[in-house]
Amino acid sequence: MTAGETIKIIARKEIKYLLREKTFFLLLAVFIIMAALSTFIGWSAQHTIRNVYDAATAELAANHQAIPAFPLAHVSSLAIIKNMIIYVVLIGSLVSIILGYFIGINDRISGTIKLIFSRQVSKTELLGGKIFAITYVLSIITLSALAISLISAGIFHVLSFANGLKILGFYALSFLYMLGFALLSLALAMKMKSSAGAILYSLFIWIIITFALPELSSALYPTSLLNPVLPPTDILNSPVLSYIHNFVWPFSISEHFKELSAAVLGVADLPGGQPSLYAYGFNISIIFFWNIFSFLAAFLFFRKIKPAQSDLYE
Amino acid sequence: MNKTLIIAKKEFKDIKRSRIFAYVLLMLFALTIISLFVSELIFRDQVTQYNNSLAILKSMGKLPAAASPQLFPLNLLRGVVGYIEIIGAILGIFLGYISVFKERNTRAIKLLLTRPVKRSSIIYGKILGNFAFVFFAIASVALLILLTLPFIGGAGLTGIDFVKLGIFTVLSSLYILIFFTLSFILSIKQKSIVNALIISFAIWLVFVLIMPQIGDTMDPDNQVPGGFFMSMALSRPQEKKVMAHFNHYETIRGGVEQLSVTKHYERSIFALFGIKKDYNGQALNAILRDQWGNIAVVVLFLLIGVWADIIFFRRSQNLLNS
């Protein structure tokens, strides 16, 4: 049997196992439902703010006050989809963690690691099969969310060829972002001595990437992530914050993803003007490095597997 | 000694010995320090910007319209509250999971039930032991705040600030314990205990992150950096008058937020610490009077959780069959 065939068999087995995990589908359902709801929520908020503006101008006119221009006049039509950026950061990455966890841990919990390595299967082939399974499942999840966003964009009359391409670009980026989490979770699921530890350490990394690093690099409070518009923090005015920003910013993967996604969808708030191509190049490089780092972690942890000691007896 | 207390003591000791919980605590401590430090830098930056603007205005012979930024030390805890909301809830989920997992894994529960110990004593002991640990963890965070705030924030705390930190410790412990009861009940009910952990996370995701996010997204004032009403130069009474036309929409938005226990916890603590500016300088009695509804919801969620834990633990066969 060739290595390619072995990898395919392992991937098929992993996917079959995953299909039995109802809890994975529970989290996946949350992601898919939010993908479907996000456009409606975005549309509802935009529609209401227009009406609030009309009511506000009537109030200002009645009091003979100056009437400012509609503050969202310049906003792109795809702004109704921008909630998906937050949902990928919050839910998509967690779904990926659980995906990597299940695919990494199932052999260990069922006690079949020894059995697998008693056959002519190398560590690289096992890893290859698991990564193939993760990539395949994640592609289907991403494509489903893409289809939902395209349909909902069509329903709210914002779907053009250009906008379709922008949504496609955003989901390509989302796939890369989520893949990093799935690979890292796979690595930890193979490494940790308990199943709870594997999930907990993956969550630690998720918390650091999603909440702690943005606070350090851009002075954003943890719950600021939940807001559709980030608070104005002109951090470069403060020398100390600016210094910390320069140091932490390259590692703040979620911010790179959010910045690049907003640019791809054309919904970025750009008070400081349009970022350079270099800035976008840096964003995408970081997301690629994130994947390379996660892949290397999975590769190194797999190399260290001791078949006789890897099974978990929980 | 009372059997409930013996079980509570054992539960507390078990948790203290666990490396996982040591890491969670360390993470909370580290994030608390980081958050205080960043908040202080933001405040200092605001003061610098104000002074620069003041100098420019003075050189033009004008007077500033806005008052100088005033430091309320507890305002610097906004990030810490955010971390308690997120990591605290995760801590609660893991405590509930581990509490059942160790009994099922070591089969100690079967041995325990051969002794003259009632199931009610076991569940009360477990809840008490976990509450003691959570209280210890949050009290440590509060102590860390007390020790570092004068150095980082450069401002002394008053007696009332100590009382507020005490209320924060109790309310945060109750909030975290809600997630303990959720995870505990699922760990009892589910045949595969890891599934219980993942279902708890799905519920946590919906109630702690998604519902508040939907509420924030639907808030018209959140659509513009700095606030929509500020950008329209509307006064507070004018804002209320305008929003009176959108009662139906606001009811739905408020309803989504009301479903999240996290939002109730956040509102009460934000009011207590004056992070919501309207409460700065208000007497503690007035704040508590205004926030009793939010505090009551947190307590109610916990009581429902404890009640459900007791009922299901008494009836559960999964523990014995594991």
Side-chain angles (χ1 to χ4, degrees), chain B residues 191-261:
Chain B
K191 279 184 185 160
S192 160
I193 195 158
V194 175
N195 284 352
L197 192 59
I198 295 169
I199 296 171
S200 303
F201 279 126
I203 296 172
W204 165 80
L205 189 66
V206 171
F207 284 91
V208 176
L209 297 176
I210 295 176
M211 281 185 168
Q213 195 277 336
I214 293 174
D216 282 347
T217 303
M218 287 174 75
D219 187 349
D221 204 29
N222 272 347
Q223 305 301 318
V224 177
F228 172 78
F229 294 110
M230 185 81 95
S231 75
M232 294 294 292
L234 282 171
S235 65
R236 192 85 173 142
Q238 283 180 311
E239 177 190 330
K240 282 189 177 166
K241 200 172 163 191
V242 167
M243 286 314 288
H245 299 293
F246 300 90
N247 269 341
H248 192 61
Y249 179 84
E250 282 295 284
T251 308
I252 295 172
R253 189 180 77 79
V256 173
E257 287 193 347
Q258 300 282 346
L259 287 173
S260 166
V261 65

Side-chain angles (χ1 to χ4, degrees), chain A residues 157-184:
Chain A
H157 310 293
V158 293
L159 185 61
S160 60
F161 181 71
N163 279 353
L165 281 181
K166 286 177 183 176
I167 297 173
L168 183 69
F170 161 66
Y171 276 105
L173 263 177
S174 303
F175 173 79
L176 278 180
Y177 182 72
M178 294 190 291
L179 184 62
F181 282 99
L183 291 177
L184 199 67

